[in-house]
């Protein structure tokens, strides 16, 4: 049982305060949806927890099972059991998906898996996600479709088995195929009970496929309303307008 706790987090980008007191707790086995209008600071929250150097924590705390996440290096955060989906979005010519995943697994587990065992593990993970075997030899992120990016993301979850996964579903590339892949992956992890998922999204439609246990509405750099799955239905029907008015 693991707990990610975000307490009164304030974050600035280039001296501009973006996050203004975020409070959020995610436990393993729970699926949380963080939803809000564009520009409300959702990705800033994800980047700040990931340790992106552009995002300055001005006050507040983030802990994983009581351990101070913010004082850890990016690699240490991964090893502690945090998974940030957009951590490696770059195209890397000459590095295959298979090589990348083996390095990621090595970093998180602290030792390199035997090649044969890893190859088998990778094949099982890919089969479970209906990924073609040739995918493993492709260059990392090069020409990936929206659906392929998402399959790769869920494959990483499968192999790294993080305690807490933060998936920032940016508004690009989420076609129907990608939506389906993310939803199935998240639902499977939720059912597994070992990983806590924080699904960040602008779109309410993903919640037709994913049933979150908790929904948090984000506006103006903080959580402004919380509820269960019924809140997602309300957002889909009414949109974010009344929150953006309130926080402006
Ligand atoms: N790297 C950055 N440089 C400058 N401004 C940024 C950066 N990241 C975020 N911001 C600003 O912070 C605000 C929130 O952005 P973001 O976190 O991307 O919102 P969301 O993900 O909810 O759409 C916006 O006003 C955006 O311009
Ligand atoms: Mg965003």
């Amino acid at each position: 049982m693991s707990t990610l706790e975000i307490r009164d987090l304030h974050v600035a980008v280039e001296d501009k305060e973006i996050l203004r007191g975020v409070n959020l707790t995610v436990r393993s086995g729970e699926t949380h949806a963080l939803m809000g209008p564009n520009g409300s600071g959702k990705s800033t929250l994800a980047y700040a927890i990931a340790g992106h150097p552009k995002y300055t924590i001005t006050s507040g705390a983030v802990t994983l099972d009581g351990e101070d996440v913010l004082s850890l290096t990016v690699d240490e955060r991964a090893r502690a059991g945090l998974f940030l989906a957009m951590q490696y979005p770059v195209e890397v010519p000459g590095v295959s998906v298979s090589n990348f995943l083996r390095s990621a697994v090595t970093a998180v587990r602290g030792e390199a898996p035997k090649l044969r065992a890893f190859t088998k593990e990778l094949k099982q993970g890919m089969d479970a996600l209906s990924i073609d075997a040739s995918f493993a030899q492709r260059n990392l992120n090069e020409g990936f479709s929206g659906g392929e990016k998402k399959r790769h993301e869920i494959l990483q979850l499968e192999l790294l088995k993080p305690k807490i996964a933060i998936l920032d579903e940016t508004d690009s590339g989420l076609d129907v195929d990608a939506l389906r892949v993310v939803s199935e992956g998240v639902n499977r992890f939720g059912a597994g009970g070992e990983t806590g998922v924080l699904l960040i999204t602008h779109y309410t439609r993903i919640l037709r496929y994913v049933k979150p246990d908790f929904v948090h509405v984000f506006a103006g750099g903080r959580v402004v309303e919380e509820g269960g799955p019924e809140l997602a239905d309300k957002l889909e029907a009414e949109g974010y307008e009344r929150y953006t008015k309130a926080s402006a």
Side-chain angles (χ1 to χ4, degrees):
M1 169 76 178
S2 293
T3 308
L4 178 76
E5 270 197 77
I6 303 165
R7 284 293 160 262
D8 197 25
L9 190 68
H10 291 249
V11 171
V13 182
E14 290 163 0
D15 293 333
K16 184 175 154 209
E17 185 176 48
I18 307 292
L19 298 189
R20 303 185 295 161
V22 179
N23 289 291
L24 197 61
T25 302
V26 180
R27 296 184 177 84
S28 43
E30 297 175 350
T31 300
H32 294 249
L34 183 77
M35 322 202 50
N38 284 324
S40 58
K42 303 182 300 296
S43 295
T44 298
L45 178 64
Y47 280 119
I49 297 172
H52 192 294
K54 248 192 134 160
Y55 298 80
T56 309
I57 317 285
T58 50
S59 66
V62 179
T63 58
L64 180 61
D65 298 331
E67 183 179 14
D68 177 15
V69 166
L70 300 176
S71 66
L72 302 178
T73 65
V74 171
D75 277 0
E76 287 167 344
R77 290 175 207 215
R79 219 170 302 141
L82 266 183
F83 176 84
L84 284 307
M86 67 311 172
Q87 216 164 315
Y88 312 97
V90 287
E91 295 186 8
V92 189
V95 172
S96 67
V97 168
S98 169
N99 282 337
F100 164 76
L101 289 172
R102 189 156 179 250
S103 305
V105 163
T106 302
V108 165
R109 295 184 193 163
E111 61 175 343
K114 294 240 159 48
L115 189 56
R116 266 184 57 190
F118 177 72
T119 304
K120 195 172 153 200
E121 196 181 340
L122 180 60
K123 186 179 181 309
Q124 281 171 352
M126 288 173 60
D127 286 351
L129 290 166
S130 307
I131 299 174
D132 189 83
S134 63
F135 186 74
Q137 301 316 320
R138 290 198 32 203
N139 281 344
L140 186 62
N141 290 327
E142 204 177 273
F144 280 14
S145 70
E148 284 168 345
K149 279 186 194 140
K150 295 299 139 186
R151 280 188 181 79
H152 185 227
E153 196 172 294
I154 303 298
L155 182 58
Q156 290 175 63
L157 285 182
E158 204 70 72
L159 292 170
L160 300 174
K161 298 196 175 26
K163 292 173 178 163
I164 305 288
I166 300 179
L167 309 177
D168 188 5
E169 298 312 323
T170 50
D171 303 342
S172 59
L174 269 193
D175 53 18
V176 175
D177 179 41
L179 262 182
R180 197 177 52 76
V181 173
V182 174
S183 313
E184 285 175 8
V186 167
N187 288 335
R188 198 141 35 88
F189 273 92
E194 280 168 27
T195 300
V197 177
L198 179 62
L199 184 68
I200 301 178
T201 181
H202 167 75
Y203 283 123
T204 52
R205 63 182 177 152
I206 196 171
L207 301 183
R208 291 181 206 162
Y209 307 92
V210 174
K211 280 285 158 252
D213 304 303
F214 305 94
V215 174
H216 313 267
V217 183
F218 210 70
R222 58 162 74 101
V223 176
V224 293
E225 189 170 355
E226 295 179 292
E230 74 289 343
L231 181 52
D233 299 331
K234 195 172 114 182
L235 288 172
E236 176 150 25
E238 299 174 7
Y240 297 116
E241 203 177 323
R242 64 193 197 84
Y243 301 105
T244 48
K245 276 186 191 146
S247 73

